Amino acid sequence: MQTRSGTAACGDVELFYEDLGDPADAPVLLIMGVGAQLPMWPDGFCGQLIKHGCRVIRFDHRDTGLSTKMHGRRAKGSVYPRVLRYLVGRTSAVPYTLVDLADDVRGLLDHLGIERAHVVGASMGGMIAQVLAGRHPDRILSLGLVMTSAGRPFSSVPRWKVIRLAFGAPAKDAPTEEKLAYEVRNIAIINGPNFLPPVDQLRRRVEELTARSDYPQGMLRQFDAILGTGSLLNYTRRIAAPTVVIHGSKDPMMRPRNGRNLARVIDGARYVVVDGMGHDLPGPVWRPVVESLTENFGTD
């Protein structure tokens, strides 16, 4: 797999990226979710896209991985009023919003000299993709929205077992083993019971990502970016690109109802359910997800 990497200056931030496959092939830009570094788009998943004739670009958001960290910036006050405002579609004052993250993505495309790309976003990345497609339709060849939502008022909230994770985080000075066990448990719950990788594989994944970058403050700011943006419907309703919405039937984080509602908002969007998939991309779901995406690209 041909791999080129570098750093793109996007306004006040620099994004680390990897550019995979043949540069002459159709560009596919992958946008990941909250706190998720670029390896969260697994090599094998990217490899399948490349086999379908795609050039694949994955990157670290600001505040994530090897990209710029926004040290010291924080929203004022308690997070709970922001959560309540978000649930009814309202905005809040935060250090940056999904609009800023979408501008980062546009800057990355500019840096790479890509006028138009197939854009695939997962979770928060799907939200960013909606903003990008709504504001800059000329940059979008097609849109793939995976396990995500338009953040419409009164959307379905995560299952209680996912919400409870936020209240069980170990202390900052907790032993490394306790923090590792907590992260492994998080992945297992979010992944769902189907297609769950072995525990040793999950541990290795957490260890490798932590060694690459350990910056929990960035995840909190990205969560605030979602809350601060509020409902995305003003952007989502403007989407004109061919769109496929892909959702797992067992997603405990972003409930399937949110995916169905998202597909209804976008004119002509196709809704695909991957049976048994949770809020992750384990190996067994790569094939159905890639097949749905490449059919939407027109490269299948």
Side-chain angles (χ1 to χ4, degrees), residues 98-122:
L98 298 180
V99 176
D100 298 301
L101 294 176
D103 285 343
D104 291 348
V105 174
R106 185 181 60 159
L108 176 57
L109 290 174
D110 290 343
H111 173 83
L112 294 170
I114 297 173
E115 290 295 325
R116 302 178 74 205
H118 300 289
V119 175
V120 178

Side-chain angles (χ1 to χ4, degrees), residues 15-16 36 54 64 105 127 144 174 178 182 203 234 255 272:
L15 301 185
F16 180 83
C54 301
T64 305
V105 174
M127 298 177 179
E178 182 179 341
Y182 171 75
R203 283 178 60 93
N234 285 337
R255 308 287 284 278
V272 175

Side-chain angles (χ1 to χ4, degrees), residues 63-183:
D63 266 336
T64 305
L66 306 184
S67 293
T68 297
K69 309 299 190 299
M70 315 301 287
H71 299 295
R73 299 182 63 181
R74 58 176 296 175
K76 295 181 180 179
S78 168
V79 69
Y80 297 110
R82 297 193 290 279
V83 170
L84 292 175
R85 289 176 64 85
Y86 176 76
L87 290 176
V88 296
R90 303 285 298 277
T91 62
S92 298
V94 291
Y96 55 82
T97 68
L98 298 180
V99 176
D100 298 301
L101 294 176
D103 285 343
D104 291 348
V105 174
R106 185 181 60 159
L108 176 57
L109 290 174
D110 290 343
H111 173 83
L112 294 170
I114 297 173
E115 290 295 325
R116 302 178 74 205
H118 300 289
V119 175
V120 178
S123 196
M124 180 188 76
M127 298 177 179
I128 295 168
Q130 291 171 62
V131 175
L132 181 69
R135 296 182 77 220
H136 306 288
D138 57 314
R139 308 304 295 268
I140 310 297
L141 288 169
S142 75
L143 199 61
L145 304 175
V146 186
M147 52 194 178
T148 192
S149 162
R152 63 191 300 167
F154 305 108
S155 295
S156 295
V157 299
R159 291 190 179 277
W160 172 244
K161 61 184 177 182
V162 174
I163 295 174
R164 192 168 53 191
L165 292 174
F167 300 96
K172 292 181 180 179
D173 58 351
T176 300
E177 181 58 34
E178 182 179 341
K179 293 180 179 179
L180 176 60
Y182 171 75
E183 293 298 334

Side-chain angles (χ1 to χ4, degrees), residues 272-290:
V272 175
V273 177
V274 178
D275 189 41
M277 185 173 87
H279 202 75
D280 201 5
L281 288 173
V285 309
W286 295 350
R287 180 176 177 179
V289 171
V290 168

